[in-house]
Amino acid sequence: VQLQASGGGLVQPGGSLRLSCAASGTFFSINSMGWYRQAPGKQRELVATITSGTNTNYADSVKGRFTISRDNAKNTVYLQMNTLTPEDTAVYYCNVAYMDWARRPFGSWGQGTLVTVSS
């Protein structure tokens, strides 16, 4: 599975951005989809995940500001980010857990999209 992320950029504090990540390739099913981020000098951390049943999980730091969603018909996951702060500046990576046609579980990472929050 290949992942193509888009939507990053420069935004002022208090602004919004919407990230998208489309999955392509051959697979039996996509299970969970998620977003992670890595700020300079820090470890990669979970931002939000969504299961195939649309159950969601968020990092405490983004609860109430970010919303994760998915479009199963398009094999795409989205991250709507509102009320952005400079602390949200990071490279955002999408991740999917999927099963191949032999029902074996795999994971895949996107290439990352940079989000910069600055005035």
Side-chain angles (χ1 to χ4, degrees), residues 2 6-7 17-18 36 43 51-54 61 69 73 80 86-87 91 100 104 107 112 114-115 117:
Q2 294 77 47
S6 61
L17 279 177
R18 188 191 193 209
Y36 294 72
Q43 291 187 332
T51 68
S52 57
T54 66
S61 59
S69 61
Q80 177 66 44
E87 289 68 37
V91 177
D100 68 4
R104 295 175 298 184
L114 177 62
V115 172
V117 185

Side-chain angles (χ1 to χ4, degrees), residues 15-113:
S16 299
L17 279 177
R18 188 191 193 209
L19 305 183
S20 301
C21 179
S24 62
T26 60
F27 47 86
F28 173 71
S29 66
I30 292 179
N31 300 326
S32 67
M33 307 181 83
W35 290 95
Y36 294 72
R37 67 186 180 186
Q38 187 166 17
K42 295 187 177 181
Q43 291 187 332
R44 189 174 299 188
E45 63 176 4
L46 179 146
V47 176
T49 60
I50 184 167
T51 68
S52 57
T54 66
N55 291 319
T56 58
N57 179 52
Y58 295 93
D60 288 343
S61 59
V62 307
K63 283 181 180 177
R65 301 188 298 122
F66 291 11
T67 302
I68 189 170
S69 61
R70 62 190 284 173
D71 183 334
N72 291 328
K74 296 181 179 180
N75 296 319
T76 299
V77 60
Y78 305 96
L79 185 68
Q80 177 66 44
M81 305 185 293
N82 298 328
T83 320
L84 286 161
T85 74
E87 289 68 37
D88 296 315
T89 295
V91 177
Y92 285 70
Y93 298 90
C94 58
N95 172 272
V96 299
Y98 67 96
M99 298 181 74
D100 68 4
W101 289 100
R103 309 295 196 270
R104 295 175 298 184
F106 289 91
S108 182
W109 289 95
Q111 83 283 10
T113 184

